[in-house]
Amino acid sequence: MAELLDLAAAVERLIHDGDVVALEGFTHLIPVAAGQEIIRQGRRDLTLVRMTPDIVYDQLIGAGCARKLIFSWGGNPGVGSLHRFRDAVQNAWPAPLEIEEHSHAGMANRYVAGASGLPFAVLRGYVGTDLVNQTDTIKPITCPFTGETLTAVPAINPDVTIVHAQRADRLGNVQIWGLLGVQKEAVLAAKRSLVTVEEIVDQLSPVPGAITLPSWAVTAVAEVPGGAHPSYAQDYSERDNAYYREWDAISRDRDTFTNWLKENAA
């Protein structure tokens, strides 16, 4: 059964230096508060995994938490580049950053393979792209039935997956709805998992289109109202578009970012 913890205790217990850590959520329900707690606790040498790294990964990279990034798209949604990410890749500041780039379909299938206990996934999506020549974890494979050349990608099994959801009950069953990404697959693929939620309730009530992460699949749940800000949690909060615009100016300059880090993640 999932353990109910506060956020600081959950991060301290579950995330260690050198871990492979996935923070998932697609535009909606991004676990930003958990990412900032990782920064506060000074974790280092992490391999960060995310289909769409945005500003929380910019913050983690700029804070020196990351050694490697496995991803399929990176940017400040609706605004532009991730400047701390760019600075790390181009100038090794604050530390060198290794990157491993995939497509969205490839990343999603890697999580599915990990959740299914399979060593790899097979798809057509990379055929005709240059990613095959740039990424060592994309390999051609021949279908044993048709002879067609496809591509294989290894399963992702994070040490820790972190997601944000609307609510959980006191047994640790998690209910999540709205615009979903690969949260379910990423949690099931992980060795350990942390779910931050808007609220903990006595009983989960039905919601159209909701999915439930059962308590046995979740290591810890932390009640963190507003834990997705500046992204949104359907039926609980709206997207803070101004924050994304302001982040562009903050992240462009090292000194400005460093001052932000001292004020917001100390």
Side-chain angles (χ1 to χ4, degrees):
M1 187 175 78
E3 191 172 1
L4 304 184
L5 299 171
D6 65 56
L7 179 58
V11 168
E12 182 178 16
R13 184 176 302 183
L14 298 182
I15 300 174
H16 314 121
D17 289 352
D19 276 351
V20 177
V21 181
L23 282 74
E24 284 296 348
F26 186 67
T27 302
H28 175 234
L29 297 173
I30 299 170
V32 176
Q36 293 177 348
E37 183 60 32
I38 292 171
I39 295 172
R40 288 188 193 95
Q41 296 194 18
R43 294 296 181 269
R44 292 292 182 265
D45 297 319
L46 302 178
T47 294
L48 297 177
V49 185
R50 181 162 162 74
M51 285 184 62
T52 55
D54 54 6
I55 61 176
V56 66
Y57 272 38
D58 212 29
Q59 294 167 1
L60 284 158
I61 291 166
C65 299
R67 177 188 65 82
K68 180 178 179 179
L69 176 65
I70 301 172
F71 73 112
S72 54
W73 176 89
N76 184 342
V79 180
S81 292
L82 296 176
H83 302 293
R84 294 301 91 226
F85 174 25
R86 181 184 291 273
D87 203 9
V89 172
Q90 294 180 335
N91 304 306
W93 192 94
L97 182 70
E98 180 184 351
I99 60 172
E100 180 182 324
E101 186 176 2
H102 284 267
S103 68
H104 278 356
M107 289 291 290
N109 277 275
R110 293 184 71 185
Y111 280 126
V112 170
S116 303
L118 297 172
F120 65 90
V122 178
L123 65 160
R124 289 192 177 95
Y126 293 103
V127 176
T129 75
D130 195 45
L131 278 174
V132 177
N133 301 320
Q134 304 299 324
T135 303
D136 289 339
T137 49
I138 304 170
K139 302 292 185 184
I141 189 170
T142 302
C143 175
F145 304 105
T146 66
E148 180 182 3
T149 299
L150 303 168
T151 48
V153 288
I156 293 177
N157 292 105
D159 293 306
V160 187
T161 288
I162 304 174
V163 301
H164 189 73
Q166 281 94 340
R167 60 192 178 204
D169 65 20
R170 300 191 186 283
L171 297 177
N173 299 297
V174 174
Q175 193 177 38
I176 179 170
W177 64 89
L179 180 63
L180 302 179
V182 291
Q183 289 99 322
K184 176 181 68 175
E185 293 80 5
V187 166
L188 291 174
K191 299 171 187 175
R192 305 181 296 278
S193 58
L194 166 62
V195 183
T196 58
V197 295
E198 293 292 325
E199 63 173 337
I200 293 175
V201 297
D202 292 330
Q203 185 173 357
L204 301 178
S205 56
V207 176
I211 63 171
T212 300
L213 301 175
S215 179
W216 58 261
V218 177
T219 308
V221 171
E223 188 175 48
V224 187
H229 180 266
S231 73
Y232 72 102
Q234 184 169 318
D235 297 325
Y236 286 82
S237 64
E238 299 291 330
R239 190 177 191 269
D240 185 353
N241 293 313
Y243 188 109
Y244 288 89
R245 293 192 297 269
E246 291 163 4
W247 182 252
D248 186 72
I250 292 168
S251 63
R252 279 181 183 272
D253 179 76
R254 291 180 185 176
D255 290 339
T256 305
F257 168 76
T258 300
N259 288 334
W260 176 90
L261 199 60
K262 292 176 181 177
E263 293 173 1
N264 293 275

